[in-house]
Amino acid sequence: MLSVILPAYNEEKMIQKAASEIDRILTTERIDYEIVFVNDGSKDHTWEEIEKTAAQNPHVTGILFSRNFGKESAMLAGLAEAAGDCCAVMDCDLQHPPETLVEMYRLWEQGYEVIEGVKRTRGKESAMHRISAGLFYKMISKAVKIDMSRASDFKLLDRRAVEALLSLPERNVFFRALSSWIGFRTTSVEFDVQERTEGESKWSTWSLVQYAIKNIVVFSTAALQFVTIAGIAVFVAAILLGAETLIRYFTGHAVEGFTTVILLILIIGSLVMISLGIIGYYIGKIYEEVKGRPRYLISKRISGSARPDAALEQLL
Ligand code: UDP
Ligand code: MG
């Protein structure tokens, strides 16, 4: 069975649509499936829509978070709850075309364990967005040592890969990169990002900046090395300037101006503060990990009757 996991945050208009689209395509292809909606603390009627859909379609399962925990947590919750032999994760705004699911499923049948959805085109977005996304992916690709510039969260994973992902202990996860990190027999499928038909993107520019910083820190220590490199650069400059000052002193041409002094204080001061900030951010993340809080809390579940555990629940 194929489990399709759909994280949903304020997607009331898309729930029914997504479920019927996926149902239509997978039924014609004769693929046994379940749909797992994860309602990530939506503020609209997403949950009611999920309940309605589940009542109509026995293949639909719903998980309700106690509040908004973010897409990464929603995807992991979906994977943890899914019962399929393979699990696909996709956006429920249908920007990830469900037709590609079939292609991915066929590759899985051929023995691939991780099938990555790769963006052929990025769809419509602003120039600012594209440039900053490009910069972020360049950095993260270096950290993971895999080209991530066209990576997406649209993936199909074999049960073994899912178990491997779920066994990772960290709280701060970056699904897109972790799915490459775990390895396994991997292949990719290209798809065109579709336009969103209903609702709006949940990402503001600021939230994307935060997302980028968080994931760079979560996935690499490169920023800490930047501190070291900056330190070395300043040290070299200090030696040169120090030498110059000493030479001037001994040759009787002592510097009169304070310009150098002021500049040095400014440069070193700001470098020290930036460095402390970076270290502080890492410590903050370590603190979060050490607390070991769960990635998400589930307040409610509904299982479609097509699922074995749902039948069991009714018996008990
Ligand atoms: N999403 C979520 N929790 C969040 C934000 C988004 O589960 O806090 C879901 C959202 O419902 C959608 C997917 O993540 O299914 C992608 O979000 P969106 O379409 O807003 O992102 P974009 O396509 O603009 O990158
Ligand atoms: Mg979207």
Side-chain angles (χ1 to χ4, degrees):
M1 184 175 65
L2 163 68
S3 298
V4 183
I5 293 142
L6 301 158
Y9 177 57
N10 297 347
E11 302 278 6
E12 54 182 5
K13 294 198 189 111
M14 291 310 302
I15 301 291
Q16 294 259 1
K17 231 186 235 179
S20 63
E21 241 336 82
I22 293 168
D23 175 66
R24 186 178 60 78
I25 288 165
L26 295 183
T27 310
T28 35
E29 292 287 331
R30 294 177 201 289
I31 297 172
D32 183 26
Y33 75 95
E34 67 165 352
I35 294 177
V36 183
F37 280 111
V38 185
N39 180 7
D40 185 11
S42 301
K43 292 184 181 66
D44 60 1
H45 297 294
T46 302
W47 183 245
E48 285 77 4
E49 288 295 320
I50 294 174
E51 282 182 324
K52 236 191 275 170
T53 318
Q56 289 161 5
N57 184 346
H59 297 281
V60 173
T61 294
I63 301 164
L64 175 65
F65 274 7
S66 62
R67 64 168 170 87
N68 180 260
F69 280 95
K71 190 184 175 192
E72 307 284 328
S73 297
M75 289 189 286
L76 282 177
L79 288 174
E81 300 282 318
D85 305 306
C86 61
C87 302
V89 178
M90 60 190 281
D91 285 2
C92 84
D93 53 11
L94 294 178
Q95 285 190 294
H96 296 159
E99 294 80 15
T100 312
L101 268 182
V102 178
E103 213 179 311
M104 289 176 157
Y105 187 80
R106 299 291 173 228
L107 284 166
W108 174 75
E109 284 180 324
Q110 287 168 27
Y112 287 101
E113 290 163 309
V114 177
I115 297 114
E116 313 249 8
V118 173
K119 294 175 188 163
R120 187 182 301 134
T121 52
R122 291 186 56 97
K124 263 197 189 152
E125 55 186 9
S126 69
M128 224 311 257
H129 190 148
R130 207 176 26 249
I131 293 166
S132 46
L135 191 71
F136 166 60
Y137 281 117
K138 226 175 243 160
M139 292 180 77
I140 205 84
S141 300
K142 269 230 170 98
V144 196
K145 299 185 181 72
I146 300 162
D147 178 26
M148 299 263 314
S149 60
R150 297 189 304 149
S152 72
D153 283 332
F154 188 18
K155 298 176 197 293
L156 190 144
L157 305 172
D158 180 66
R159 175 74 10 219
R160 248 173 295 176
V162 172
E163 296 302 334
L165 258 184
L166 293 174
S167 71
L168 300 177
E170 64 227 63
R171 306 288 110 193
N172 287 291
V173 281
F174 183 36
F175 180 68
R176 226 169 260 205
L178 276 183
S179 71
S180 326
W181 182 89
I182 55 170
F184 291 99
R185 245 189 108 192
T186 305
T187 185
S188 59
V189 169
E190 287 196 332
F191 72 92
D192 290 306
V193 177
Q194 308 293 307
E195 258 189 67
R196 198 182 236 285
T197 49
E198 299 282 353
E200 53 192 26
S201 173
K202 273 79 203 172
W203 300 92
S204 63
T205 309
W206 178 235
S207 67
L208 280 174
V209 171
Q210 284 177 313
Y211 177 79
I213 294 177
K214 186 193 127 208
N215 287 316
I216 288 169
V217 166
V218 162
F219 230 89
S220 84
T221 48
L224 281 175
Q225 273 130 42
F226 161 77
V227 174
T228 322
I229 292 166
I232 292 168
V234 172
F235 183 65
V236 171
I239 289 177
L240 293 179
L241 269 168
E244 196 216 1
T245 317
L246 283 177
I247 290 166
R248 277 177 189 259
Y249 180 77
F250 286 119
T251 52
H253 298 92
V255 194
E256 345 134 349
F258 282 102
T259 332
T260 332
V261 179
I262 294 168
L263 280 180
L264 271 180
I265 289 175
L266 285 178
I267 293 169
I268 293 176
S270 52
L271 271 180
V272 167
M273 274 191 272
I274 292 171
S275 312
L276 282 177
I278 294 173
I279 294 168
Y281 197 87
Y282 273 92
I283 292 178
K285 286 283 162 237
I286 295 170
Y287 182 49
E288 273 171 31
E289 294 288 339
V290 166
K291 278 191 283 189
R293 289 202 182 140
R295 292 173 184 137
Y296 51 82
L297 296 168
I298 294 176
S299 65
K300 217 174 184 181
R301 282 186 181 86
I302 35 171
S303 311
S305 46
R307 234 177 123 157
D309 59 320
L312 236 159
E313 261 167 41
Q314 275 160 12
L315 271 177
L316 292 171

